[in-house]
């Protein structure tokens, strides 16, 4: 199955796959909500329309969202490495 537009083409517009999913989901919700409020029916699914708008460069990414997405892995690793796990008092630590 051939996908159009390709993920590589979409990554030209939104360079992070995690952020790409969020951008497309937000735009799809916006499209669906607008169509519902106007009482219109859509010829294509909202996600398809959103993907096409991203590919056409019609959807702009907030620079702060991009920064946060690109640095998410670094923050996650730091958070996990400093996490403290509380064990119940009645749990045998040697087991």
């Amino acid at each position: 199955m051939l996908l159009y537009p390709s993920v590589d083409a979409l990554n030209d517009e939104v360079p992070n796959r995690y952020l790409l999913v969020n951008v497309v989901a937000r735009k799809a919700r916006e499209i669906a909500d607008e169509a519902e409020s106007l009482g219109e029916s859509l010829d294509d699914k909202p996600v398809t329309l959103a993907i096409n708008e991203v590919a056409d460069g019609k959807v702009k990414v907030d620079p702060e969202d991009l920064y946060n997405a690109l640095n998410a892995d670094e923050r996650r690793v730091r958070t996990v490495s400093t996490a403290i796990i509380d064990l119940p008092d009645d749990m045998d630590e040697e087991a």
Side-chain angles (χ1 to χ4, degrees), residues 18-56:
Y18 174 77
L19 182 59
L20 174 63
V21 169
N22 285 308
V23 167
V24 169
R26 286 182 199 170
K27 186 61 182 177
R29 273 188 238 113
E30 182 182 304
I31 290 169
D33 290 345
E34 184 178 326
E36 184 178 343
S37 69
L38 296 174
E40 297 177 350
S41 64
L42 299 171
D43 293 333
D44 292 317
K45 293 184 179 186
V47 172
T48 301
L49 297 171
I51 288 172
N52 289 330
E53 286 192 24
V54 169
D56 292 341

Side-chain angles (χ1 to χ4, degrees), residues 62-78:
D62 182 14
E64 185 175 334
D65 286 344
L66 179 57
Y67 174 80
N68 290 335
L70 293 174
N71 293 302
D73 288 336
E74 182 180 324
R75 285 193 311 274
R76 187 179 320 117
V77 169
R78 196 174 320 128

